[in-house]
Amino acid sequence: MSYRVIGKEVKRVDAVNKVTGKAKFTDDFFERDMLIGKVLRSPYAHAKIKNINVDKAKALEGVVEVLTYKDLPNIKYATAGHPYSLDPKHRDVADRTILTDKARHVGDSIAIVIAKDELIAEKALKLIEVDYEVLPFVLDPEKAMEPGAPIIHDDRPNNVISSVGQEFGNVDEDFKNADYVFTGEYETSVVQHCHLENHTAYAYMENDRIVIVSSTQIPHIARRIVAEALGLPWGKVRVIKPYIGGGFGNKQEVIVEPMVAAMTLAVNGRPVRYTMTREESFIATRTRHAMKFYMKTAVTKDHKLQAIHIKAISNNGAYASHGHSIIMSAISKFRPLYNFKSFKAEPKTVYTNLPSAGAMRGYGVPQIFFALESHLDDIAKKLNIDPIEFRMNNVIQAGHVDPISKLTVRTFGIPECIKKGKELIKWDEKQELYKNQTGEKRRGLGMACFSYFSGTYPVCLEVAGCRIAMNQDGSVQLMLGATEIGQGADTVFTQMAAEAIGIPVDMVHIISTQDTDVAPFDTGAYASRQTYITGAAVKQAAIEVKKQVLEIASRKTGLKVENLDIVDGKIIEVGLNRLICDISEIALEAFYDRIDSKPITSDTSVNVRTNAIAYGVSFAEVEVDMLTGQIEVLHLINVHDSGTIINPILAEGQVHGGVSMSLGAALSERLMFDERTGAPLNNNLLDYKLQTIMDTPNIEAHFVELPDPTGAFGQKSLGENPTISPAPAVRNAVLDATGVAFNKIPMNPQSVFEKFKEEGLL
Amino acid sequence: MESIIFHQPRYLGEAIQLLHETPNPALLAGGTDLIIDINKERKKVETVIDLSRIEVLKTITVNEIEIEIGSMVTFANLCENPIIKQEFFGLFLCAKHFAAPQIRNMATIGGNIINASAAADSVPVIMSLEGKFVFNSVEGERIICAVEYFSNYEKEKIKPHEVLTKIKLPRKGYLSGFYKLGKRNSLAIARINAAVSLKEKEGVVEKINIALGAVGRYPFRVTEIEKICVEKPLSYLESDEVLIGLETAVYESIKNRPTMPFKKEAVKGVYILALQSALGGELNG
């Protein structure tokens, strides 16, 4: 398939606006008489509010209103940005109220102050008198499941949110007959998204409706959840999403929107803004689940994987948020990669008194692949075989059907990805070079594979809407419910519309702001779904527009529609390649023909019931300083099978960002808590060691383009994918360099040193 | 937050007079710590005296025997100064790896010293270069060497009416180096840092100064180890005797800290990297 616009390095449609500072983000909008909201947060990890007195705060000049749980409807709701489910059993756990009468983590929301300005609001927070009954707390999920552990939510007395698992084949039988059985224990830490723009929103009332302007990935879902949290009809809420400064899943959560809605309701509809500080963002939004995996694997003597038995514990923190969906995603999305005869997963998602974990780029999958790909390297080492050959010996093939989800693998680029990565990093040559090192600095190579889905089908609904309206000059407005969150969605949708209609990119005007009153229905940016799912809607709408244009051209010329085409904004006769007219002539006729006037528009929606499995591999080269425990990543190569790449330069950007996020988790990032109090120790960007550009190695992004037949243009997912495999690749490279298997990340100098000591290397 | 009285003197004399007249003033240098502490209400301040307009504090002057660095010289300034790069390479490296570009543009060497953090990057370098601090007040000038200032901190620390005006470094032609171990390569607070200054003749050590930071309440020199290195071949500097000496020094300094087992080992690598940067000169810059 040859394309004119798809696959080209089209400049981001929002590039100029963003670099010149013209692009408006939530905090760039101002309303008359805007008030400021602030939230009082619990200093205790677990405490009942015995009494709360707001009189002094209310009396402070400039304070307009102070709210506690007593002032708000006692409605429990769920914050996860999933599509609504008609099946009540499939809905998220509704376990929180906007303000609480019991603090379940340090940072839980206790009271709201609404004041004339921020300083007054902050002063008023200090005047609120809360009498807490401090309760015992628990941070470790294994301890939380022990009898007698503090009960965090009364309806889950064992603190287990869910322990639903999955299996196929006969694991017990396969282990009984196994030639080899290997076990391993792997653990990841709590990390955070650290999007540039903190959570922020403001709300006001227009007649009896609440309007919320918010930095969200999911405006349509936010509207529903705000209505649920306040017990309002859904139509009474309108959500507007302008440009947003990153989300990475943390804004696939409805966190500040119900708060600002409650605030404006409390002050007769005056506008109220609530913007979190970075310190709040670390503890009062979401984190990535820390997970612990116990893996047991059966292997035959010719090194074929037979059975895998996974026990896993996911630390969910204080509120369910996305809850068990995350570890379910992990145990589902890793499956269509290696050929296991039997599989059994027993995951548990557990409440603790930590800040809530929720959606974060990769949705549980980075955690499971850290465990699995580390485990496979450990097995290869014990069997004394090449880790790449071991993997190649066990991968699935195109045509594979997952026994549980029934998803079919239609394109499988792993063998090509591995081949390419292996050559690029000079695997064989360097393996030879780095044999038998004994010095202070040791180098090594490692690799790791992954699989990921394009969207959430078959677990959730996948629906996307698209509306296109043609202007008199033949250009079009492209309206979507899907959101640009920095990932480049607007640009790739623009390319898709331009491609499918046959007009240049600059004749597509995408409406970047989603307003739930006018934007078509789409559930938003998550699950790496938009290019695949919304892309299908864009193509369908564009084809409909093209058809209408050609029908008018046909009427004009007497030629059949199939003999006409639109190329670069011109109507041509196919075959002769003869120019008939400019598209603007057709558009003008559509608008103003005295008899046939009917402006060209399409308004469509797709319900996608396929899923395209995307793949990739990371290759890492590291140098370990044996004296200080420092790990330097010298080179990192990601090779992706994401089907057709719509925009190579944006795709490369996705890979750079994702790799950086994974390297942070591998080497330096960990949100730490005081074990004696449950208080965060490093909820700021100085002490939380997000990778800086000085820590970022040379990252290479490569693509193996196998067009997937289910993708509108052959595309598969890419957004979250690059975050999955770098961490285990680096871990395996450290194993190669030093012989030491790190089964817990991050591998910061102190933990590396301690492990070296334990292994007798020092 | 209550209102704060803010002074911005143009001349050093004016600043000294203000210091004399004002009870408990806070001196504002680059503000990368003070402003944050005020905003976060970690520090209660009634009067701020901003030193940023006093030109004399922002200069670097050189004479035959020493270089004088004004206390308001920023880390970015230090990176750009050719004499510092040529003759005080350890200080150049320290400045180059200090925090991040935005902070290097604001933070000053004086602020780094007076803030007296255990992990202050410039202090071990100044100690290894035999640097001195010059304080001024209405009473006149007080000069104290950096090592003495921190080893006797409670007695010698800056007085409420004093201002640090200069840091003097003798031009002794030392080869000097610095290494910082952080949790990342930029915007990292040192877990351990080490500064080495030495003089050698035909492969023999004539003099060496080694200072360590973030392994005690304040940075310090390891004079016992320095002494045994004199008149030894350069290769001795990486010998087990020296490394074990450093390990012991760190052990003694932070015996009861949970980070001790890590730091007493890692200090060896940090020291070796500092030493190599001194001997390797610009190659490692």
Side-chain angles (χ1 to χ4, degrees), chain A residues 656 660-661 663-664 668-669 685-686 688-697 699, chain B residues 99-102 104 183-188:
Chain A
H656 287 178
S660 169
M661 203 169 233
L663 292 179
S668 59
E669 289 179 43
L685 290 176
L686 178 60
Y688 178 88
K689 300 298 181 190
L690 192 67
Q691 298 263 296
T692 69
I693 196 69
M694 299 299 286
D695 301 287
T696 308
I699 298 167
Chain B
Q102 295 92 329
R104 288 200 285 277
K183 284 188 184 172
R184 61 185 167 198
N185 294 332
S186 176
L187 272 177

PDB file of all heavy atoms in Angstrom, chain A residues 656 660-661 663-664 668-669 685-686 688-697 699, chain B residues 99-102 104 183-188:
ATOM      1  N   HIS A 656      11.448   7.525  22.693  1.00  0.00           N
ATOM      2  CA  HIS A 656      12.395   8.192  23.591  1.00  0.00           C
ATOM      3  C   HIS A 656      11.779   8.405  24.981  1.00  0.00           C
ATOM      4  O   HIS A 656      12.413   8.116  25.993  1.00  0.00           O
ATOM      5  CB  HIS A 656      12.827   9.534  23.007  1.00  0.00           C
ATOM      6  CG  HIS A 656      13.769   9.386  21.846  1.00  0.00           C
ATOM      7  ND1 HIS A 656      14.250  10.440  21.134  1.00  0.00           N
ATOM      8  CD2 HIS A 656      14.319   8.290  21.277  1.00  0.00           C
ATOM      9  CE1 HIS A 656      15.052  10.011  20.176  1.00  0.00           C
ATOM     10  NE2 HIS A 656      15.105   8.713  20.247  1.00  0.00           N
ATOM     11  N   SER A 660      12.888   6.430  28.489  1.00  0.00           N
ATOM     12  CA  SER A 660      13.355   7.212  29.639  1.00  0.00           C
ATOM     13  C   SER A 660      12.573   6.832  30.893  1.00  0.00           C
ATOM     14  O   SER A 660      13.136   6.678  31.979  1.00  0.00           O
ATOM     15  CB  SER A 660      13.202   8.693  29.319  1.00  0.00           C
ATOM     16  OG  SER A 660      13.403   9.449  30.476  1.00  0.00           O
ATOM     17  N   MET A 661      11.262   6.672  30.740  1.00  0.00           N
ATOM     18  CA  MET A 661      10.417   6.310  31.880  1.00  0.00           C
ATOM     19  C   MET A 661      10.821   4.937  32.442  1.00  0.00           C
ATOM     20  O   MET A 661      10.870   4.731  33.658  1.00  0.00           O
ATOM     21  CB  MET A 661       8.976   6.283  31.388  1.00  0.00           C
ATOM     22  CG  MET A 661       7.951   6.475  32.446  1.00  0.00           C
ATOM     23  SD  MET A 661       6.340   6.732  31.656  1.00  0.00           S
ATOM     24  CE  MET A 661       5.844   8.236  32.444  1.00  0.00           C
ATOM     25  N   LEU A 663      13.777   3.483  32.086  1.00  0.00           N
ATOM     26  CA  LEU A 663      15.122   3.546  32.674  1.00  0.00           C
ATOM     27  C   LEU A 663      15.055   4.134  34.081  1.00  0.00           C
ATOM     28  O   LEU A 663      15.791   3.719  34.974  1.00  0.00           O
ATOM     29  CB  LEU A 663      16.068   4.370  31.795  1.00  0.00           C
ATOM     30  CG  LEU A 663      16.432   3.751  30.445  1.00  0.00           C
ATOM     31  CD1 LEU A 663      17.362   4.684  29.667  1.00  0.00           C
ATOM     32  CD2 LEU A 663      17.084   2.384  30.604  1.00  0.00           C
ATOM     33  N   GLY A 664      14.179   5.101  34.269  1.00  0.00           N
ATOM     34  CA  GLY A 664      13.998   5.667  35.610  1.00  0.00           C
ATOM     35  C   GLY A 664      13.568   4.583  36.589  1.00  0.00           C
ATOM     36  O   GLY A 664      14.132   4.450  37.677  1.00  0.00           O
ATOM     37  N   SER A 668      16.608   4.500  39.066  1.00  0.00           N
ATOM     38  CA  SER A 668      16.643   5.562  40.071  1.00  0.00           C
ATOM     39  C   SER A 668      15.322   5.907  40.734  1.00  0.00           C
ATOM     40  O   SER A 668      15.307   6.460  41.823  1.00  0.00           O
ATOM     41  CB  SER A 668      17.229   6.835  39.440  1.00  0.00           C
ATOM     42  OG  SER A 668      16.436   7.239  38.345  1.00  0.00           O
ATOM     43  N   GLU A 669      14.213   5.606  40.106  1.00  0.00           N
ATOM     44  CA  GLU A 669      12.951   6.122  40.641  1.00  0.00           C
ATOM     45  C   GLU A 669      12.314   5.174  41.662  1.00  0.00           C
ATOM     46  O   GLU A 669      12.197   3.979  41.416  1.00  0.00           O
ATOM     47  CB  GLU A 669      11.945   6.351  39.504  1.00  0.00           C
ATOM     48  CG  GLU A 669      12.294   7.522  38.627  1.00  0.00           C
ATOM     49  CD  GLU A 669      11.295   7.703  37.495  1.00  0.00           C
ATOM     50  OE1 GLU A 669      10.084   7.581  37.739  1.00  0.00           O
ATOM     51  OE2 GLU A 669      11.729   7.941  36.365  1.00  0.00           O
ATOM     52  N   LEU A 685      10.351  16.719  43.144  1.00  0.00           N
ATOM     53  CA  LEU A 685      11.177  16.327  41.999  1.00  0.00           C
ATOM     54  C   LEU A 685      12.677  16.451  42.260  1.00  0.00           C
ATOM     55  O   LEU A 685      13.473  16.086  41.406  1.00  0.00           O
ATOM     56  CB  LEU A 685      10.777  17.126  40.757  1.00  0.00           C
ATOM     57  CG  LEU A 685       9.411  16.745  40.188  1.00  0.00           C
ATOM     58  CD1 LEU A 685       9.054  17.649  39.017  1.00  0.00           C
ATOM     59  CD2 LEU A 685       9.356  15.295  39.760  1.00  0.00           C
ATOM     60  N   LEU A 686      13.063  16.957  43.435  1.00  0.00           N
ATOM     61  CA  LEU A 686      14.492  16.918  43.769  1.00  0.00           C
ATOM     62  C   LEU A 686      14.853  15.561  44.358  1.00  0.00           C
ATOM     63  O   LEU A 686      15.834  14.936  43.964  1.00  0.00           O
ATOM     64  CB  LEU A 686      14.858  18.033  44.750  1.00  0.00           C
ATOM     65  CG  LEU A 686      16.328  18.035  45.178  1.00  0.00           C
ATOM     66  CD1 LEU A 686      17.254  18.222  43.978  1.00  0.00           C
ATOM     67  CD2 LEU A 686      16.595  19.117  46.207  1.00  0.00           C
ATOM     68  N   TYR A 688      12.835  12.756  44.463  1.00  0.00           N
ATOM     69  CA  TYR A 688      12.365  11.639  43.646  1.00  0.00           C
ATOM     70  C   TYR A 688      13.197  11.672  42.374  1.00  0.00           C
ATOM     71  O   TYR A 688      13.163  12.654  41.628  1.00  0.00           O
ATOM     72  CB  TYR A 688      10.874  11.797  43.333  1.00  0.00           C
ATOM     73  CG  TYR A 688      10.327  10.699  42.454  1.00  0.00           C
ATOM     74  CD1 TYR A 688       9.838   9.525  43.018  1.00  0.00           C
ATOM     75  CD2 TYR A 688      10.310  10.822  41.072  1.00  0.00           C
ATOM     76  CE1 TYR A 688       9.352   8.503  42.215  1.00  0.00           C
ATOM     77  CE2 TYR A 688       9.824   9.809  40.268  1.00  0.00           C
ATOM     78  CZ  TYR A 688       9.346   8.655  40.846  1.00  0.00           C
ATOM     79  OH  TYR A 688       8.866   7.647  40.047  1.00  0.00           O
ATOM     80  N   LYS A 689      13.962  10.612  42.130  1.00  0.00           N
ATOM     81  CA  LYS A 689      14.995  10.724  41.105  1.00  0.00           C
ATOM     82  C   LYS A 689      14.508  10.330  39.715  1.00  0.00           C
ATOM     83  O   LYS A 689      14.881   9.285  39.164  1.00  0.00           O
ATOM     84  CB  LYS A 689      16.221   9.891  41.511  1.00  0.00           C
ATOM     85  CG  LYS A 689      16.832  10.326  42.829  1.00  0.00           C
ATOM     86  CD  LYS A 689      17.346  11.760  42.802  1.00  0.00           C
ATOM     87  CE  LYS A 689      17.970  12.133  44.149  1.00  0.00           C
ATOM     88  NZ  LYS A 689      18.268  13.561  44.241  1.00  0.00           N
ATOM     89  N   LEU A 690      13.680  11.215  39.180  1.00  0.00           N
ATOM     90  CA  LEU A 690      13.293  11.112  37.775  1.00  0.00           C
ATOM     91  C   LEU A 690      14.561  11.292  36.942  1.00  0.00           C
ATOM     92  O   LEU A 690      15.422  12.087  37.295  1.00  0.00           O
ATOM     93  CB  LEU A 690      12.328  12.265  37.494  1.00  0.00           C
ATOM     94  CG  LEU A 690      11.541  12.273  36.212  1.00  0.00           C
ATOM     95  CD1 LEU A 690      10.537  11.138  36.201  1.00  0.00           C
ATOM     96  CD2 LEU A 690      10.799  13.590  36.061  1.00  0.00           C
ATOM     97  N   GLN A 691      14.658  10.565  35.836  1.00  0.00           N
ATOM     98  CA  GLN A 691      15.847  10.697  34.997  1.00  0.00           C
ATOM     99  C   GLN A 691      15.898  12.103  34.379  1.00  0.00           C
ATOM    100  O   GLN A 691      14.888  12.610  33.914  1.00  0.00           O
ATOM    101  CB  GLN A 691      15.799   9.667  33.875  1.00  0.00           C
ATOM    102  CG  GLN A 691      15.793   8.236  34.370  1.00  0.00           C
ATOM    103  CD  GLN A 691      17.166   7.618  34.369  1.00  0.00           C
ATOM    104  OE1 GLN A 691      17.779   7.451  33.328  1.00  0.00           O
ATOM    105  NE2 GLN A 691      17.654   7.280  35.543  1.00  0.00           N
ATOM    106  N   THR A 692      17.078  12.687  34.370  1.00  0.00           N
ATOM    107  CA  THR A 692      17.254  13.958  33.662  1.00  0.00           C
ATOM    108  C   THR A 692      17.883  13.659  32.306  1.00  0.00           C
ATOM    109  O   THR A 692      18.283  12.528  32.046  1.00  0.00           O
ATOM    110  CB  THR A 692      18.189  14.907  34.439  1.00  0.00           C
ATOM    111  OG1 THR A 692      19.507  14.365  34.402  1.00  0.00           O
ATOM    112  CG2 THR A 692      17.746  15.071  35.878  1.00  0.00           C
ATOM    113  N   ILE A 693      18.014  14.682  31.495  1.00  0.00           N
ATOM    114  CA  ILE A 693      18.613  14.474  30.172  1.00  0.00           C
ATOM    115  C   ILE A 693      20.063  13.998  30.328  1.00  0.00           C
ATOM    116  O   ILE A 693      20.588  13.265  29.481  1.00  0.00           O
ATOM    117  CB  ILE A 693      18.490  15.754  29.298  1.00  0.00           C
ATOM    118  CG1 ILE A 693      18.742  15.437  27.823  1.00  0.00           C
ATOM    119  CG2 ILE A 693      19.409  16.857  29.761  1.00  0.00           C
ATOM    120  CD1 ILE A 693      17.688  14.617  27.165  1.00  0.00           C
ATOM    121  N   MET A 694      20.717  14.396  31.432  1.00  0.00           N
ATOM    122  CA  MET A 694      22.095  13.971  31.668  1.00  0.00           C
ATOM    123  C   MET A 694      22.190  12.477  31.998  1.00  0.00           C
ATOM    124  O   MET A 694      23.270  11.901  31.981  1.00  0.00           O
ATOM    125  CB  MET A 694      22.715  14.778  32.810  1.00  0.00           C
ATOM    126  CG  MET A 694      22.783  16.265  32.564  1.00  0.00           C
ATOM    127  SD  MET A 694      23.768  16.684  31.137  1.00  0.00           S
ATOM    128  CE  MET A 694      25.411  16.369  31.797  1.00  0.00           C
ATOM    129  N   ASP A 695      21.067  11.889  32.346  1.00  0.00           N
ATOM    130  CA  ASP A 695      21.064  10.455  32.655  1.00  0.00           C
ATOM    131  C   ASP A 695      20.646   9.629  31.448  1.00  0.00           C
ATOM    132  O   ASP A 695      20.617   8.409  31.512  1.00  0.00           O
ATOM    133  CB  ASP A 695      20.064  10.171  33.788  1.00  0.00           C
ATOM    134  CG  ASP A 695      20.408  10.944  35.038  1.00  0.00           C
ATOM    135  OD1 ASP A 695      21.372  10.569  35.690  1.00  0.00           O
ATOM    136  OD2 ASP A 695      19.737  11.948  35.334  1.00  0.00           O
ATOM    137  N   THR A 696      20.240  10.328  30.392  1.00  0.00           N
ATOM    138  CA  THR A 696      19.626   9.629  29.271  1.00  0.00           C
ATOM    139  C   THR A 696      20.683   9.194  28.269  1.00  0.00           C
ATOM    140  O   THR A 696      21.428  10.026  27.766  1.00  0.00           O
ATOM    141  CB  THR A 696      18.595  10.566  28.594  1.00  0.00           C
ATOM    142  OG1 THR A 696      17.725  11.051  29.615  1.00  0.00           O
ATOM    143  CG2 THR A 696      17.791   9.839  27.548  1.00  0.00           C
ATOM    144  N   PRO A 697      20.755   7.910  28.005  1.00  0.00           N
ATOM    145  CA  PRO A 697      21.758   7.439  27.048  1.00  0.00           C
ATOM    146  C   PRO A 697      21.309   7.710  25.621  1.00  0.00           C
ATOM    147  O   PRO A 697      20.226   8.253  25.390  1.00  0.00           O
ATOM    148  CB  PRO A 697      21.804   5.937  27.307  1.00  0.00           C
ATOM    149  CG  PRO A 697      20.416   5.606  27.750  1.00  0.00           C
ATOM    150  CD  PRO A 697      19.923   6.813  28.513  1.00  0.00           C
ATOM    151  N   ILE A 699      19.443   6.806  22.785  1.00  0.00           N
ATOM    152  CA  ILE A 699      18.304   5.900  22.582  1.00  0.00           C
ATOM    153  C   ILE A 699      18.023   5.810  21.085  1.00  0.00           C
ATOM    154  O   ILE A 699      17.869   6.831  20.422  1.00  0.00           O
ATOM    155  CB  ILE A 699      17.039   6.424  23.299  1.00  0.00           C
ATOM    156  CG1 ILE A 699      17.268   6.507  24.808  1.00  0.00           C
ATOM    157  CG2 ILE A 699      15.836   5.546  22.986  1.00  0.00           C
ATOM    158  CD1 ILE A 699      16.196   7.304  25.544  1.00  0.00           C
TER     159      ILE A 699
ATOM    160  N   ALA B  99      24.233  20.654  40.447  1.00  0.00           N
ATOM    161  CA  ALA B  99      22.777  20.717  40.206  1.00  0.00           C
ATOM    162  C   ALA B  99      22.418  20.622  38.726  1.00  0.00           C
ATOM    163  O   ALA B  99      22.655  19.591  38.102  1.00  0.00           O
ATOM    164  CB  ALA B  99      22.202  21.968  40.843  1.00  0.00           C
ATOM    165  N   ALA B 100      21.873  21.701  38.164  1.00  0.00           N
ATOM    166  CA  ALA B 100      21.414  21.707  36.774  1.00  0.00           C
ATOM    167  C   ALA B 100      21.620  23.129  36.256  1.00  0.00           C
ATOM    168  O   ALA B 100      21.824  24.042  37.045  1.00  0.00           O
ATOM    169  CB  ALA B 100      19.946  21.327  36.732  1.00  0.00           C
ATOM    170  N   PRO B 101      21.566  23.326  34.915  1.00  0.00           N
ATOM    171  CA  PRO B 101      21.903  24.652  34.382  1.00  0.00           C
ATOM    172  C   PRO B 101      21.147  25.817  35.027  1.00  0.00           C
ATOM    173  O   PRO B 101      21.749  26.827  35.364  1.00  0.00           O
ATOM    174  CB  PRO B 101      21.531  24.531  32.906  1.00  0.00           C
ATOM    175  CG  PRO B 101      21.652  23.088  32.600  1.00  0.00           C
ATOM    176  CD  PRO B 101      21.284  22.354  33.858  1.00  0.00           C
ATOM    177  N   GLN B 102      19.841  25.654  35.232  1.00  0.00           N
ATOM    178  CA  GLN B 102      19.067  26.760  35.803  1.00  0.00           C
ATOM    179  C   GLN B 102      19.598  27.121  37.191  1.00  0.00           C
ATOM    180  O   GLN B 102      19.681  28.289  37.556  1.00  0.00           O
ATOM    181  CB  GLN B 102      17.578  26.399  35.918  1.00  0.00           C
ATOM    182  CG  GLN B 102      16.890  26.171  34.590  1.00  0.00           C
ATOM    183  CD  GLN B 102      16.918  24.716  34.171  1.00  0.00           C
ATOM    184  OE1 GLN B 102      17.852  23.988  34.488  1.00  0.00           O
ATOM    185  NE2 GLN B 102      15.906  24.284  33.435  1.00  0.00           N
ATOM    186  N   ARG B 104      22.627  26.417  38.365  1.00  0.00           N
ATOM    187  CA  ARG B 104      23.997  26.949  38.261  1.00  0.00           C
ATOM    188  C   ARG B 104      23.974  28.448  37.925  1.00  0.00           C
ATOM    189  O   ARG B 104      24.877  29.182  38.301  1.00  0.00           O
ATOM    190  CB  ARG B 104      24.778  26.211  37.167  1.00  0.00           C
ATOM    191  CG  ARG B 104      25.152  24.802  37.564  1.00  0.00           C
ATOM    192  CD  ARG B 104      26.297  24.275  36.728  1.00  0.00           C
ATOM    193  NE  ARG B 104      25.933  23.910  35.374  1.00  0.00           N
ATOM    194  CZ  ARG B 104      25.402  22.747  35.021  1.00  0.00           C
ATOM    195  NH1 ARG B 104      25.137  21.824  35.933  1.00  0.00           N
ATOM    196  NH2 ARG B 104      25.127  22.488  33.754  1.00  0.00           N
ATOM    197  N   LYS B 183      22.435  10.104  42.898  1.00  0.00           N
ATOM    198  CA  LYS B 183      21.478   9.099  42.456  1.00  0.00           C
ATOM    199  C   LYS B 183      21.116   9.281  40.991  1.00  0.00           C
ATOM    200  O   LYS B 183      20.392   8.503  40.407  1.00  0.00           O
ATOM    201  CB  LYS B 183      20.219   9.155  43.312  1.00  0.00           C
ATOM    202  CG  LYS B 183      20.423   8.540  44.685  1.00  0.00           C
ATOM    203  CD  LYS B 183      19.088   8.458  45.409  1.00  0.00           C
ATOM    204  CE  LYS B 183      19.280   7.932  46.823  1.00  0.00           C
ATOM    205  NZ  LYS B 183      18.022   8.033  47.584  1.00  0.00           N
ATOM    206  N   ARG B 184      21.543  10.399  40.411  1.00  0.00           N
ATOM    207  CA  ARG B 184      21.406  10.578  38.976  1.00  0.00           C
ATOM    208  C   ARG B 184      22.474  11.582  38.563  1.00  0.00           C
ATOM    209  O   ARG B 184      23.206  12.103  39.406  1.00  0.00           O
ATOM    210  CB  ARG B 184      19.997  11.015  38.579  1.00  0.00           C
ATOM    211  CG  ARG B 184      19.576  12.334  39.165  1.00  0.00           C
ATOM    212  CD  ARG B 184      18.117  12.668  38.841  1.00  0.00           C
ATOM    213  NE  ARG B 184      17.684  13.784  39.669  1.00  0.00           N
ATOM    214  CZ  ARG B 184      16.420  14.097  39.895  1.00  0.00           C
ATOM    215  NH1 ARG B 184      15.451  13.408  39.358  1.00  0.00           N
ATOM    216  NH2 ARG B 184      16.113  15.137  40.653  1.00  0.00           N
ATOM    217  N   ASN B 185      22.567  11.887  37.269  1.00  0.00           N
ATOM    218  CA  ASN B 185      23.695  12.677  36.785  1.00  0.00           C
ATOM    219  C   ASN B 185      23.486  14.179  36.824  1.00  0.00           C
ATOM    220  O   ASN B 185      24.390  14.947  36.554  1.00  0.00           O
ATOM    221  CB  ASN B 185      24.039  12.268  35.352  1.00  0.00           C
ATOM    222  CG  ASN B 185      24.554  10.847  35.310  1.00  0.00           C
ATOM    223  OD1 ASN B 185      25.133  10.367  36.286  1.00  0.00           O
ATOM    224  ND2 ASN B 185      24.322  10.152  34.221  1.00  0.00           N
ATOM    225  N   SER B 186      22.291  14.590  37.109  1.00  0.00           N
ATOM    226  CA  SER B 186      22.002  16.016  37.155  1.00  0.00           C
ATOM    227  C   SER B 186      20.955  16.205  38.234  1.00  0.00           C
ATOM    228  O   SER B 186      20.197  15.279  38.524  1.00  0.00           O
ATOM    229  CB  SER B 186      21.470  16.442  35.790  1.00  0.00           C
ATOM    230  OG  SER B 186      21.088  17.778  35.805  1.00  0.00           O
ATOM    231  N   LEU B 187      20.910  17.391  38.835  1.00  0.00           N
ATOM    232  CA  LEU B 187      19.958  17.646  39.913  1.00  0.00           C
ATOM    233  C   LEU B 187      20.026  16.567  40.984  1.00  0.00           C
ATOM    234  O   LEU B 187      19.015  16.038  41.409  1.00  0.00           O
ATOM    235  CB  LEU B 187      18.532  17.723  39.358  1.00  0.00           C
ATOM    236  CG  LEU B 187      18.096  19.090  38.886  1.00  0.00           C
ATOM    237  CD1 LEU B 187      16.699  19.007  38.286  1.00  0.00           C
ATOM    238  CD2 LEU B 187      18.084  20.105  40.016  1.00  0.00           C
ATOM    239  N   ALA B 188      21.254  16.209  41.346  1.00  0.00           N
ATOM    240  CA  ALA B 188      21.402  15.170  42.352  1.00  0.00           C
ATOM    241  C   ALA B 188      22.127  15.766  43.545  1.00  0.00           C
ATOM    242  O   ALA B 188      23.044  16.555  43.376  1.00  0.00           O
ATOM    243  CB  ALA B 188      22.205  14.017  41.792  1.00  0.00           C
TER     244      ALA B 188
END
